[in-house]
Amino acid sequence: MHHERPLSRRGSERMSVRSRQRRRSEDYISMPPRSRRQSQETQRSSLAGDDAVDDEDGVDIATSYSGRRSQRRESRNSRSVFENVARLFRSSSGSESPIGSRSRASSAGTSRQRRRTHSRTRPEESDYALDDDEEESERWGYSSQEEDSSSSDELLGEGADIVNLSSEVDYGSVPPSPTPSLPFLSSDPIFGDTRIDMDDSSRTSSPPPPPGPPSRQRIHLTDEDTTVRFVGQEVIQYRQRLWTLGSVITFGALGLIGHWFPRVWLRWVAREKAFKNIDHGFVLVETLSRDMVVVPLSKLPYPYPISTVFPETTTAPMSTEECLPLQPVSSADVRKDVGESADCSISCLQVVDYRYTRFVLNPENGLFATIRDWRDPAWTTVVNVRVGLQETVRRQRGCLFGRNSIDIQDKSTVSLLVDEIIHPFYVFQIASIILWSIDDYYYYAFCIALISVLSVTTTLVETKKTIARMREMSRFSCVVGVLVDGVFQDRDSSDIVPGDVINLSFPELTIVPADMLLLSGDAIVNESMLTGESVPISKAPIQEQDLTKWRDTGEVTTQTTKGYLYAGTRVIRIRGNSTSSMISPATAMVVRTGFNTTKGALIRSMLFPKPMGFKFYRDSMRFIGVLACIAGLGFLASAFQFIRLQVPWNTIMLRALDLITVVVPPALPATLSIGTSFAVGRLRKAGVYCISPSRVNVGGKVNVVCFDKTGTLTEDGLDVLGVRCLDRAGDHFGDLLTDVYDIPLISGKTSFLHALATCHSLKVINGEVVGDPLDVKMFQFTCWILEEGRVGTGAPRRSEGRSTGERPIALVQTVVRPPGVGGFRLEDALRSGSRHAHFLELGVIRTFEFVSALRRMSVIVKRLKRSSMEIYVKGAPDMMYDICDKESFPRNYEDLLSYYTNRGFRVIAIAGKSIEGLSWLKAQRMKREQAESGLTFLGLIIFENKIKPGSTPAIQTLRGAHLGCRMVTGDNARTAISVARDCTILSQSAHVFYPRFIIGNATSPNAKLEWSSVEDESLKLDDYSLRPLPPPPHHVEENEIAYPDYALALTGDVFRWMINHAPLETLQRMLVKTPVFARMSPDEKHELVERLQSLGYIVAFCGDGANDCGALKAADVGLSLSEAEASVAAPFTSHTQDIGCMVDVIREGRAALVTSFSCFKYMALYSLIQFTTITLLYSFASSLGDFQFLYIDLFIIIPIAITMGRTLPFPRIHPKRPTASLVSKKVLTSIIGQVLITSGVQFWAFFWVRSQSWYEPPKSESVGGKLETKNYENTTLFLVSSFQYIMVAAVFSIGPPYRQPMWLNGWLIICISVLSTFSGLVLLAPTQALAGLLDLMQVPMQARLELMAIVGMNVCLSVGFEKWCQEAVANMVGKLIRRRRRGRRLHGKVYKAVESVY
């Protein structure tokens, strides 16, 4: 039974991270009654119907989106805590030992802001507090859509009422190399960073926890935006010893089994136990992506009171139980219950260091809490924190937090080597080499061993280099002044602890060594490491209320950010406080150190990237399993013949094992990564750098691309087109003024020119004005001079109750004056009245910074020798209605605004007001709401934002390939629509519908939207179905608006309202039909990407990295247009400031994906061709010779596999994406068809040679237990199969539409030509030495010519089938499958179902 649970919302609310089906249910719950009824109409059979559209990956989806009413029913799968624990691969890092697998998390996720709220609004709890429904809904060990496909039909059944619109994305990565410590460093470009679960037997229900204190706990990791589960485990000593003994007896085989299948090891040596009662055990960490890590539970000597770790009252503890509401936890209450004193000392702490994050066990409640969000209760006021720390307190905190260093653990070469060679593929290679050596295949075994050694050596060298590079990048230390016992002392930055007060001025800092709050002075820093945009950011001292809010909640809000210095950011300038007599240094308080800092979080995100699940790898592993089964069947048939021929048992066993090495080639992983490696190299030459090679293949499946506007589609810099001021009457706009000297001087105290000169956040560094590019352009337009005031803490001096006229150097932030006017000096104020009247100087007393939610900024300005102060506001024109006097707007305001925005210009509105007698102190205490109200509209400044030359061609290319293009911008909606039309995101003839609230507003759950055409407001959309309504009777329209003829555009507030309150079907249709999203905040951009992913889209996002970091990281393919070689904000970074690089990424991704498929198909055919040859030879106790194996594997297979990956991508992007499934109809049809052809030819050749008159039967007995290799069957099959290996490479070297034709790959053509010529020479005219080396029999010339004819026939059949018959057979198979599945409802992509409605 489904229990409804109301959802809490805050800000731009996000849905909780659970399964997509769960989130869909929550969306339904949150609807108002009307919306629920509407939702129910389409929930029942939203995809029902007999007609189905065939998915390109071989999945049928229904197309009927009917509106029949029915009772909604939800199906749930109960998931085990330890579900699918056993893994094939493992990696370890430091004290942690990953023993699990990773796959893509089940949900599109929630915003980091929402996650932070969750992490502070729920207490730390154990699993005992969970109810059954919540336990089931969490779906720990979530399995992807493809893995659940078998069970989905059982859940739905023939008469299912609903269809589960699965939104899983079928891509990702899994590494073949388990190099520890840095998963992404050893990631294969194909397999990436995810491990695959090969043990499905573990899909059992989780047993209940043992009675007593908690042994399980769920903790939300805010930085990683995920949730993990801790499970306490106690090692059973005697069982551990028995396991060790068994590993020794089996020569390590048992240890490898436990390494690859950890559930076996866990069940034998450990049992679950409460955290606080563990004596000799560990903590098992399980993630939502089915990754399991063994982390030791360490004891840290800590002879200090427990209150220093867990304060008296812990509101919103750091570790949370995901499903529970907030309950403030009072440590004093807990201590009272257990009878402990309020400030008891402890001897040691039990800690867990997981992924460089420390978790401390609270001895009172037996639960873990992370120290990252620890905050001292004494941080109540700025005055309190300025006193610094005592040395004893510093020692205590140093013991708890450790050193302030981001030191990535280095591993020895021996450790890396061991981790590398125990990987399953290398173990398989070692076993194969031993087998071949026993079988006297010395030459082949030596060559494979040499290749393996070179491969391992290369991997180790590259890993060591990458680790060294990462360590060099992450480590930083400098000398800082630390306030210890009331005196500043020079200390190394690695010794600072939270609470330390740092002197930022002396010694001078270049890099911020830790996360700090600025207490005094000011700073200008470059945060490009965080944002990817190299723009100076001003920092001001933290305000009292902001400090208190941060201490209570831990949130770094917009206000807190102004005084927050992030570790790793570059310091441009630091200034101390100034008074008339002295200059005091700038100071800051350390709040986070080491890996707990923002820089540490970024480093962790690079070390442990979010897992993804690419079904290509999973399918490949399953296919290899099928090949192994085929090998077993072949051996059973051969074993029967061996026994009949009385072959020794040791030979039979060797042949059985050898057959496995034939079917499962050891070189398979290396060949699969070739295409991706070449693609990454080509992208690097094009100026696109990739830090996550696994995303290259994902780029081949992208079907929606989102673009930021400013700096991405349009030029980065804005040019001032001109200004529009009010005319003298004030009821109309005047002409466009392109010269600042033409701006009229208003007789009142507020001036449009003064607003342009002061309403900004610019700074002067080395004589250069720096800041936001828009502000710089606006100020340069005025031609005024900017001068910064020095920072101070004093108060303005007064003489006889009025201002002295002196500019208080400690109180004025910025001073501006016109060109040619000298600066005001103190002696000028002492002269007679009119002598200094010519001075025109404006001082910025206070600045209200730009806030994305408000879309405006403001300043309080004082003009020299005036008793009043002016307030100027600059912001979005549509926002001015809320803060300006309605009478101050000119009559043609809307018309003029529409004129410019519809033509793509960026328009900024200016307003102001004057307040008489406003003092400096009152100005500092004034609230923003008071300052930004009752304003008078002054005019507009128009910026020209030109579209980049490459934007339109790139968009046309993408749209021509049927890829959806979205513009996501913070700019005005009409401007965005205009730019979208200019760059062809919107067609010129399309109707664009824009919503507005006619009932309620963005905060009203029961609000109502009206969708009207931008061009003709009489055209409307139905607010539920978003279909065009019939035009009004008087409207002249030839035809009704069809699906391709209209699009939607909306703003961030409407988007947020629809996310929270709109019916699910309406929300889905909006996401599909909207190409323009305007006024979107960074969080809303992030949310949009996740919502598109929830529909089944594979989303690429291209931005400049400034406000797009969240979206870039959330997207499947994030491309940052940044000057940095590699930005942590995105997997791809382009030096070319042009979206054309996105086209390159998609082209290379498709080529790499197709190359991976081609290489896998080729390796599969190579295995099956050789398997057929060996099986036929086994039938009479024969086999291939040593040099025959060597020639095939080293001189044919490896060169061809390498050169196949060098084929370049096709210049044009094809409308249909390549498949990512090995089990799709086309892939299986191609493989099976070629297997039948090649096997048939070999069988024909086998029986043909036996029918010849010159044929002599081979010797039936074996010599020394070895199989005979020199006979006519061997010679015939070897000669024919040698051509088949080459021919199959040509057949599978797919060219257009994803790659260039094969003949343009010069290396492949040379390789095929040389090998074909050599094989022809061996067939027609082999030398005596060559024939002896390859164990060839003398065959008559006539027979050789007949064999050449057989080879030619094989080539014609294979090429003809692949080119003409394969697709027809695949279509026929598809029709048969659809006919058999008629009436069954299958999972499919949501967006396809939504598109099918129109």
Side-chain angles (χ1 to χ4, degrees), residues 1280-1395:
V1280 171
S1281 64
S1282 297
F1283 283 98
Q1284 288 182 333
Y1285 299 125
I1286 304 170
M1287 174 267 302
V1288 169
V1291 170
F1292 286 157
S1293 292
I1294 302 171
Y1298 306 114
R1299 302 195 303 173
Q1300 291 185 1
M1302 181 184 67
W1303 57 80
L1304 295 180
N1305 185 345
W1307 287 103
L1308 180 60
I1309 294 299
I1310 292 174
C1311 185
I1312 290 178
S1313 301
V1314 171
L1315 290 174
S1316 299
T1317 302
F1318 183 79
S1319 297
L1321 177 65
V1322 173
L1323 172 61
L1324 299 176
T1327 63
Q1328 192 68 26
L1330 188 61
L1333 187 67
L1334 296 176
D1335 295 332
L1336 299 179
M1337 299 288 290
Q1338 293 295 329
V1339 180
M1341 179 55 68
Q1342 181 64 29
R1344 295 178 185 275
L1345 293 176
E1346 290 184 25
L1347 285 177
M1348 182 61 76
I1350 293 174
V1351 170
M1353 179 188 66
N1354 191 355
V1355 172
C1356 293
L1357 287 175
S1358 295
V1359 172
F1361 175 81
E1362 193 72 18
K1363 191 171 184 179
W1364 293 294
C1365 302
Q1366 177 258 340
E1367 187 170 356
V1369 174
N1371 293 334
M1372 186 182 303
V1373 172
K1375 291 180 180 179
L1376 293 176
I1377 293 175
R1378 286 194 295 271
R1379 182 177 301 175
R1380 187 174 181 180
R1381 289 179 174 178
R1382 180 167 296 174
R1384 296 174 62 187
R1385 302 181 180 90
L1386 302 178
H1387 290 273
K1389 298 291 189 292
V1390 181
Y1391 72 88
K1392 291 189 176 183
V1394 176
E1395 288 174 352

Side-chain angles (χ1 to χ4, degrees), residues 66 119 141 276 529 544 629 646 887 969 1223:
S66 63
S119 67
K276 63 190 304 181
M529 183 197 73
E544 200 85 22
C629 293
Q646 297 182 350
E887 300 297 327
T969 178
V1223 296

Side-chain angles (χ1 to χ4, degrees), residues 428 444 620 623-624 626-628 630-631 658-669 671 1159-1175 1184 1189 1192-1193 1197 1231 1234-1235 1238-1239 1242 1281 1284-1285 1288 1292:
F428 181 65
Y444 185 64
S620 66
F623 199 87
I624 290 174
V626 173
L627 294 179
I630 294 174
D658 187 52
L659 199 61
I660 295 177
T661 65
V662 168
V663 175
V664 185
L668 178 62
T671 57
C1159 289
F1160 185 87
K1161 289 164 63 178
Y1162 176 68
M1163 296 301 290
L1165 260 294
Y1166 146 65
S1167 300
L1168 292 174
I1169 290 171
Q1170 195 169 85
F1171 168 75
T1172 304
T1173 302
I1174 297 298
T1175 303
L1184 291 175
F1189 276 119
I1192 293 172
D1193 293 342
I1197 302 303
I1231 293 177
Q1234 295 299 334
V1235 167
T1238 54
S1239 299
Q1242 286 200 49
S1281 64
Q1284 288 182 333
Y1285 299 125
V1288 169
F1292 286 157

Side-chain angles (χ1 to χ4, degrees), residues 28 46 52 134 155 188 280 306 766 805 810 826 872 960 1009 1188 1191 1342 1394 1397:
Y28 174 80
S46 58
E134 293 295 331
L155 290 173
D188 181 85
H280 304 283
I306 190 175
N766 297 326
L826 179 60
Y872 295 113
L1009 290 174
Q1188 289 176 331
Y1191 171 70
Q1342 181 64 29
V1394 176
V1397 176

Side-chain angles (χ1 to χ4, degrees), residues 30 84 170 262 273 462 695 809 864 1058 1150 1237 1370:
S30 65
N84 300 327
D170 46 13
K273 192 173 183 180
E462 288 299 321
R695 300 295 183 102
I809 61 174
L864 192 63
M1058 295 191 70
R1150 292 189 171 190
I1237 293 173

